Amino acid sequence: MTENSSLLAEFPTCPRDVQDRPRVFTSASGAYVTDKSGFCWIDFDNARGSIVLGHGDPRVVEAVGRAATGADGTATGWSPRVDAVLERLHALCGGEVVGLFRSGTAAVRAAGLAVREATGRPLLVSAGYHGYDPMWYPSDAPLVPNADGVVDFFFDLGLLAELLAAPERVAAVVVSPDHMHLSAAWYRELRQLCSAAGVVLIADEVKVGLRYSPGLSTAELLNPDVWVVAKGMANGHAVSAVGGPRALLRPLKEVSFTSFFEPTILAAADAVLSRVATGEPQRALREAGDRFLCHARKALQDAALPVEIAGDGTFFQFVPASEELEYAFYAAANTEGLLFYAGDNQGVSAAFDDAVLTDAEQRFTRVCDRLSAYAGGEPVDEAARYRVAWNVMDGLREAERDRAATDGMLARLLDD
Amino acid sequence: MTENSSLLAEFPTCPRDVQDRPRVFTSASGAYVTDKSGFCWIDFDNARGSIVLGHGDPRVVEAVGRAATGADGTATGWSPRVDAVLERLHALCGGEVVGLFRSGTAAVRAAGLAVREATGRPLLVSAGYHGYDPMWYPSDAPLVPNADGVVDFFFDLGLLAELLAAPERVAAVVVSPDHMHLSAAWYRELRQLCSAAGVVLIADEVKVGLRYSPGLSTAELLNPDVWVVAKGMANGHAVSAVGGPRALLRPLKEVSFTSFFEPTILAAADAVLSRVATGEPQRALREAGDRFLCHARKALQDAALPVEIAGDGTFFQFVPASEELEYAFYAAANTEGLLFYAGDNQGVSAAFDDAVLTDAEQRFTRVCDRLSAYAGGEPVDEAARYRVAWNVMDGLREAERDRAATDGMLARLLDD
């Protein structure tokens, strides 16, 4: 076998070496992944947050292995597992109807187009990343819709208010929630703006859904009309879901795809959803993440390194004071075998037990030791916070600013 | 567990009972699937042709079960399995680069949009079904592009020639090959039209790729510029692929999704592609299908039933003389436990051994017995052939006709 990254048409998001070549992993177990040299990493990436229970979770493995034999049903048609997964999603996230898809990208696109067709309104007003589909590509200028009728408000509620000044043109506001850089007050104002304008609110919880709690992370903050979840559903297996009112999702009736009933994916989803419904994996990973964060913040402080950490144990993000320090930080982490999602959110899994955490803490202390050249540097400033938040949100962090400041920030960050 | 088809936002294509409710299957093995009443069906649907090796193929089961444990890699990143799958696809289907997706719908959309962006031309000229995405929805009138710049030529080469009269507007011709209602000559003329116009040809072999032979079914007939395969890749597991020239697929660089490296799907694809590369499963299912067809044609003739069969053992389609007989035919097949894909193509798997075939033949004879009321009816006419072909192709079967006849056919069939 050669490493055929040059044969791949895509440039997938995944851990990469300093030459930007994908790192090649040969196995994974619990909180650890092993690369082809035999080096053992602690996985804070977890397939960009999809692995909630840890690699090779025994109950998921058993369910998938059994389903693969045909013992639970067939890709040819409906099975009791379809009912089970639909019921679990309905119980956790609500919605009169639920649709199943194969990727977050497919689910958010389907939700957006369904609401557009159901409302007969042309525009989707968006904030955050909604998958790789070209429909979400940037327009030529801020506040101008792109060719697919999508216009971004970059999480700035002032811009949103402007865009909602003609609500009869807006099919929906589509937001990918973030809980590292936006407060509860921000979400309440978002909900108020949508309600006042009478515009449908779609929560794209592909990333955060089910990871924070047994259900939508914005259930109380936003009470979204339509929801999308994916990463929290099946421990990395390929499935996503949309839910909401029958009237808004009626156009999904036309959706039909062949691998709909694939038994191993449904088995994984059923096994994972039964666990996340208890809240236990979310509590476990939050506690593990919080313990790690407590250590990491102290280690950074002890080493006088200007690196803040945004978020909490569920999802957190390192905020280094400069791009140079950021580069050095992730390089040092790689040397010590801490597999971070470079520049983005870190997500531990429920497999981070005491032994893993002790190992991770010792590695992190050594990372700080390696960065002694940066000790006592200039502290993290607002520009650094905006830059790092932009990397994870595709938009502006919450902060006091007027329209001129917003325009300036957008010009700078869109240009990067 | 209840049967929650009312909770599902979608109306999935799958075996259904007379009330259009999905039939519920509890297990599957080889050529058989079992429903919740314990009744055992012979599966000619095979997840709309995705199950090539049979349900629960032991080598696929072993590969998937092992991959689920993490022993082969992780969804967090690249693994040797990614290389293996890319190399196998490249060897079988060609292409300077290969992209991986989760569904045929996603792959064909990505291929079409990539070629559109690479060529800078706006139109996609299409024939056949390309998945559930709304981009392929019909336009208001024949020969008029829809809102997504897609215009259908319905497999009519006269219409295609008209649409290619302004080739500088056409990014690509996208065709889903059919080998039941179109001849080799038809494909050669299609290739000639595209070459003469200098327009990219995309073969959407989601359905037929790898099932007819170890590679594209149109490799020699069309030598397509860009290809898409899916159903033949992984025995029903959720993966699809696009291949072609680097220059045409360069926009796919932007494509990145989280479950990209999901180990069980890659393991299934690797196991299946190693088998289909030998041509052995395709030979086995072709021989099994041919033996069944030989029996079925004789049984229909002996019973004096006006039902033709289009195609060959790889994929075939029943062509009843009337809609009334068609309904009765599938109802009788259901009673006898022959799980046909109603109105569409039938696809046996390599698990159809002698014992299965003998069972299937006996059941088919009893189906004919049940239809004695239709014996000696009017023979199958051209209208019936067009209607049935339309069901499987979303277009017009190959036949001599002038433009007026084409227009009349389209008006009638689009209206149905």
Side-chain angles (χ1 to χ4, degrees):
Chain A
M1 311 270 181
T2 58
E3 286 165 45
N4 273 324
S5 58
S6 67
L7 185 53
L8 188 65
E10 295 138 323
F11 190 85
T13 302
C14 63
R16 291 173 177 272
D17 65 19
V18 287
Q19 277 95 42
D20 243 5
R21 292 176 308 206
R23 294 186 188 280
V24 179
F25 299 103
T26 52
S27 68
S29 180
Y32 290 92
V33 297
T34 304
D35 70 23
K36 62 179 179 164
S37 77
F39 186 59
C40 204
W41 302 71
I42 301 179
D43 191 1
F44 285 78
D45 178 313
N46 279 307
R48 276 60 73 204
S50 303
I51 311 283
V52 165
L53 303 178
H55 297 285
D57 176 83
R59 281 182 272 181
V60 177
V61 170
E62 194 279 332
V64 168
R66 177 184 151 89
T69 68
D72 295 339
T74 164
T76 293
W78 202 277
S79 69
R81 270 280 157 66
V82 184
D83 291 311
V85 169
L86 290 174
E87 283 180 15
R88 290 192 191 284
L89 287 166
H90 177 68
L92 290 170
C93 303
E96 283 172 15
V97 290
V98 173
L100 293 176
F101 294 84
R102 282 285 168 255
S103 68
T105 295
V108 184
R109 173 169 165 81
L113 297 192
V115 172
R116 178 184 279 170
E117 187 177 332
T119 61
R121 297 172 170 193
L123 294 180
L124 295 171
V125 175
S126 157
Y129 181 73
H130 307 302
Y132 66 78
D133 195 278
M135 74 180 281
W136 307 105
Y137 283 3
S139 62
D140 295 333
L143 299 188
V144 176
N146 70 10
D148 286 282
V150 173
V151 56
D152 209 315
F153 72 96
F154 303 103
F155 294 101
D156 184 278
L157 295 175
L159 296 185
L160 177 62
E162 287 185 48
L163 290 165
L164 291 180
E168 69 285 353
R169 302 259 305 149
V170 179
V173 172
V174 190
V175 172
S176 296
D178 166 276
H179 301 296
M180 301 184 295
H181 304 286
L182 301 171
S183 72
W186 186 92
Y187 287 100
R188 281 193 287 267
E189 193 178 338
L190 168 64
R191 172 75 271 181
Q192 204 184 355
L193 284 169
C194 291
S195 296
V199 166
V200 171
L201 180 51
I202 302 176
D204 170 358
E205 293 219 7
V206 164
K207 187 163 75 173
V208 295
L210 305 168
R211 173 174 268 266
Y212 280 87
S213 63
L216 302 179
S217 72
T218 58
E220 290 176 21
L221 291 169
L222 286 181
N223 189 22
D225 303 290
V226 172
W227 52 261
V228 184
V229 298
K231 295 190 182 192
M233 278 182 69
N235 218 40
H237 291 263
V239 65
S240 57
V242 173
R246 195 178 296 276
L248 287 178
L249 298 182
R250 184 161 291 133
L252 296 186
K253 280 279 173 204
E254 301 295 319
V255 170
S256 176
F257 58 107
T258 298
S259 61
F260 198 95
F261 301 107
E262 207 282 286
T264 64
I265 291 176
L266 292 170
D270 193 18
V272 173
L273 291 171
S274 75
R275 299 270 287 286
V276 301
T278 67
E280 179 273 321
Q282 296 96 323
R283 272 192 299 276
L285 71 82
R286 170 68 188 264
E287 284 173 20
D290 281 343
R291 176 179 148 184
F292 177 79
L293 277 191
C294 185
H295 173 87
R297 287 192 171 111
K298 182 163 187 310
L300 290 163
Q301 189 177 23
D302 290 350
L305 289 168
V307 179
E308 296 179 353
I309 306 178
D312 60 30
T314 301
F315 263 141
F316 57 91
Q317 187 181 23
F318 297 104
V319 187
S322 68
E323 289 184 75
E324 185 194 345
L325 174 54
E326 182 165 24
Y327 182 86
F329 174 81
Y330 288 110
N334 285 336
T335 305
E336 295 297 339
L338 291 175
L339 193 64
F340 289 135
Y341 182 4
D344 213 294
N345 46 223
Q346 314 306 328
V348 306
S349 73
F352 276 58
D353 60 18
D354 282 346
V356 172
L357 284 165
T358 300
D359 185 1
E361 287 164 0
Q362 290 169 351
R363 295 188 195 208
F364 193 83
T365 299
R366 293 197 296 271
V367 169
C368 293
D369 293 344
R370 288 182 178 275
L371 296 171
S372 56
Y374 297 89
E378 286 294 304
V380 176
D381 63 10
E382 283 292 277
R385 291 188 193 109
Y386 269 105
R387 184 179 60 78
V388 169
W390 184 274
N391 284 346
V392 77
M393 298 169 71
D394 285 12
L396 299 173
R397 63 189 283 269
E398 186 182 353
E400 281 296 315
R401 59 178 176 262
D402 58 20
R403 174 63 190 268
T406 295
D407 291 347
M409 278 298 172
L410 283 179
R412 193 151 51 246
L413 291 162
L414 284 167
D415 196 44
D416 272 354
Chain B
M1 309 272 180
T2 58
E3 286 164 46
N4 273 326
S5 57
S6 68
L7 184 54
L8 187 65
E10 295 137 322
F11 191 85
T13 301
C14 62
R16 290 173 177 274
D17 66 17
V18 288
Q19 278 96 43
D20 242 5
R21 292 176 308 207
R23 294 186 188 280
V24 179
F25 300 103
T26 52
S27 68
S29 180
Y32 291 92
V33 296
T34 304
D35 69 24
K36 62 179 179 164
S37 76
F39 186 58
C40 203
W41 302 71
I42 301 179
D43 190 2
F44 285 78
D45 179 311
N46 279 306
R48 277 59 73 205
S50 304
I51 311 284
V52 165
L53 303 178
H55 298 286
D57 176 83
R59 280 181 273 181
V60 177
V61 170
E62 195 278 334
V64 169
R66 178 183 150 89
T69 67
D72 295 339
T74 163
T76 292
W78 202 278
S79 69
R81 271 279 158 65
V82 184
D83 290 312
V85 169
L86 290 175
E87 283 180 14
R88 290 192 191 285
L89 287 165
H90 177 68
L92 290 170
C93 302
E96 284 172 14
V97 291
V98 173
L100 293 176
F101 294 84
R102 281 286 167 255
S103 68
T105 295
V108 184
R109 173 168 166 81
L113 297 193
V115 172
R116 177 184 281 169
E117 186 177 333
T119 61
R121 298 171 169 193
L123 294 180
L124 295 171
V125 176
S126 157
Y129 181 73
H130 307 302
Y132 66 77
D133 194 278
M135 74 180 281
W136 306 106
Y137 284 2
S139 61
D140 295 333
L143 298 188
V144 176
N146 69 12
D148 287 282
V150 173
V151 56
D152 209 315
F153 71 95
F154 304 102
F155 294 101
D156 185 278
L157 295 175
L159 296 184
L160 177 62
E162 287 185 48
L163 290 165
L164 291 180
E168 69 285 354
R169 301 260 306 149
V170 180
V173 172
V174 190
V175 172
S176 296
D178 166 276
H179 301 295
M180 301 185 295
H181 304 287
L182 301 171
S183 72
W186 186 92
Y187 287 100
R188 281 193 285 266
E189 193 178 338
L190 168 64
R191 172 75 271 182
Q192 205 184 357
L193 285 168
C194 292
S195 296
V199 167
V200 172
L201 180 52
I202 302 176
D204 170 358
E205 293 219 6
V206 165
K207 187 162 76 174
V208 295
L210 305 168
R211 172 173 269 264
Y212 280 87
S213 62
L216 303 179
S217 73
T218 58
E220 289 176 23
L221 292 168
L222 287 182
N223 189 22
D225 303 289
V226 172
W227 53 262
V228 184
V229 299
K231 295 190 181 190
M233 278 182 69
N235 217 40
H237 291 264
V239 66
S240 58
V242 173
R246 194 178 296 274
L248 288 177
L249 298 182
R250 184 161 290 134
L252 296 186
K253 279 279 173 203
E254 301 296 319
V255 169
S256 176
F257 59 106
T258 298
S259 60
F260 198 94
F261 301 108
E262 207 282 286
T264 65
I265 291 176
L266 292 171
D270 193 18
V272 173
L273 291 172
S274 75
R275 299 271 288 286
V276 300
T278 68
E280 179 273 321
Q282 297 95 323
R283 274 193 296 277
L285 71 83
R286 170 68 187 263
E287 283 173 22
D290 282 343
R291 176 178 149 185
F292 177 79
L293 277 190
C294 184
H295 173 88
R297 288 192 170 110
K298 183 164 186 311
L300 290 163
Q301 189 177 25
D302 290 351
L305 289 168
V307 179
E308 296 178 351
I309 306 178
D312 59 31
T314 302
F315 262 142
F316 58 90
Q317 187 181 24
F318 296 105
V319 187
S322 68
E323 290 185 73
E324 185 194 346
L325 174 53
E326 183 165 24
Y327 182 86
F329 174 82
Y330 287 110
N334 285 336
T335 305
E336 295 298 339
L338 291 174
L339 192 65
F340 289 134
Y341 182 6
D344 214 293
N345 45 224
Q346 314 306 326
V348 306
S349 74
F352 276 59
D353 60 17
D354 282 348
V356 172
L357 284 164
T358 300
D359 185 2
E361 287 164 359
Q362 290 169 351
R363 296 189 195 207
F364 193 84
T365 299
R366 293 198 296 272
V367 169
C368 293
D369 292 345
R370 288 182 178 275
L371 296 171
S372 57
Y374 297 89
E378 286 295 305
V380 176
D381 63 10
E382 283 292 276
R385 292 189 193 108
Y386 268 105
R387 184 179 60 77
V388 169
W390 184 274
N391 283 345
V392 77
M393 298 169 69
D394 285 13
L396 298 173
R397 64 189 283 266
E398 185 181 354
E400 281 296 315
R401 58 179 177 260
D402 58 18
R403 176 63 191 267
T406 295
D407 290 348
M409 277 298 170
L410 283 179
R412 192 151 52 247
L413 291 162
L414 285 167
D415 197 45
D416 272 354

